[in-house]
């Protein structure tokens, strides 16, 4: 009797493991499907186009490279036991000028806006999943006017 009970318990465990594994695979497949759907949405296509234009803007990429070099130089000089304040001021001024030029460049602005839209979609998807998992609705600022968003349902 004990042996049969053990076998039954073992079989039940095997069934549970199979169910959990199968369920997990369904969840992973759904995640793949969501990823594919996001990749095909207009916002993602606009992001990819904007990213390509941003990366192809040679003048802007030169400024980005210089900005990164200046940032490294600033960090290196700041780390010295006796940093040169005049040099730090000059580097800081150049960094501020470059940041202004980069962030106002049309290809950067378009890329940043497209990136924000994709990030908003990803955040909303994650928020929706978490709401389903936890049972809590995270749309605290909902105006109940679904014309201003994609809705809660």
């Amino acid at each position: 009797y004990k042996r049969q009970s053990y076998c039954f318990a073992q079989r039940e465990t095997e069934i549970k493991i199979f169910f959990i594994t199968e369920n997990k695979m369904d969840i992973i497949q759904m995640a793949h499907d969501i990823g594919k759907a996001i990749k095909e949405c207009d916002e993602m296509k606009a992001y990819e186009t904007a990213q390509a234009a941003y990366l192809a803007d040679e003048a802007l990429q030169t400024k980005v490279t210089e900005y990164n070099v200046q940032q490294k130089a600033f960090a290196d000089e700041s780390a010295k036991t006796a940093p040169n304040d005049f040099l730090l001021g000059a580097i800081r001024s150049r960094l501020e000028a470059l940041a202004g030029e980069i962030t106002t460049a049309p290809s950067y602005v378009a890329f940043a806006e497209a990136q924000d839209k994709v990030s908003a979609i990803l955040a909303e998807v994650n928020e929706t999943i978490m709401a389903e998992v936890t049972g809590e609705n995270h749309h605290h600022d909902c105006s109940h006017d679904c014309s201003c968003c994609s809705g809660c349902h």
Side-chain angles (χ1 to χ4, degrees):
Y1 178 75
K2 232 179 186 184
R3 185 169 175 84
Q4 288 176 335
S5 178
Y6 175 75
C7 289
F8 176 74
Q10 182 180 6
R11 178 72 180 139
E12 186 177 312
T13 302
E14 289 173 8
I15 292 169
K16 286 180 182 177
I17 290 171
F18 174 75
F19 178 73
I20 291 168
T21 303
E22 186 177 286
N23 193 23
K24 180 181 175 188
M25 295 305 292
D26 289 345
I27 293 168
I28 300 301
Q29 183 57 51
M30 285 184 249
H32 284 284
D33 294 343
I34 290 169
K36 288 175 187 175
I38 291 170
K39 185 155 182 70
E40 294 302 316
C41 76
D42 292 341
E43 291 85 354
M44 190 64 191
K45 290 177 182 176
Y47 167 82
E48 290 170 346
T49 300
Q51 181 184 40
Y54 166 76
L55 294 173
D57 187 336
E58 291 180 28
L60 182 59
Q61 291 307 309
T62 299
K63 291 176 185 178
V64 169
T65 299
E66 183 185 349
Y67 182 88
N68 292 334
V69 169
Q70 293 286 350
Q71 210 171 28
K72 172 101 171 75
F74 188 87
D76 290 348
E77 186 62 29
S78 296
K80 291 181 179 177
T81 54
N84 181 326
D85 290 334
F86 178 77
L87 180 57
L88 286 174
I91 295 171
R92 185 180 301 113
S93 293
R94 184 63 185 146
L95 282 168
E96 289 171 2
L98 285 167
E101 293 172 24
I102 291 167
T103 59
T104 58
S107 62
Y108 176 86
V109 171
F111 179 50
E113 288 173 357
Q115 194 170 35
D116 288 346
K117 289 178 183 177
V118 170
S119 293
I121 290 170
L122 294 174
E124 187 173 350
V125 167
N126 190 51
E127 190 174 292
T128 302
I129 290 169
M130 289 307 297
E132 288 298 321
V133 169
T134 64
E136 297 176 19
N137 186 353
H138 295 281
H139 293 284
H140 300 294
D141 57 351
C142 182
S143 66
H144 302 288
D145 175 11
C146 294
S147 66
C148 64
C149 71
S150 62
C152 302
H153 310 288

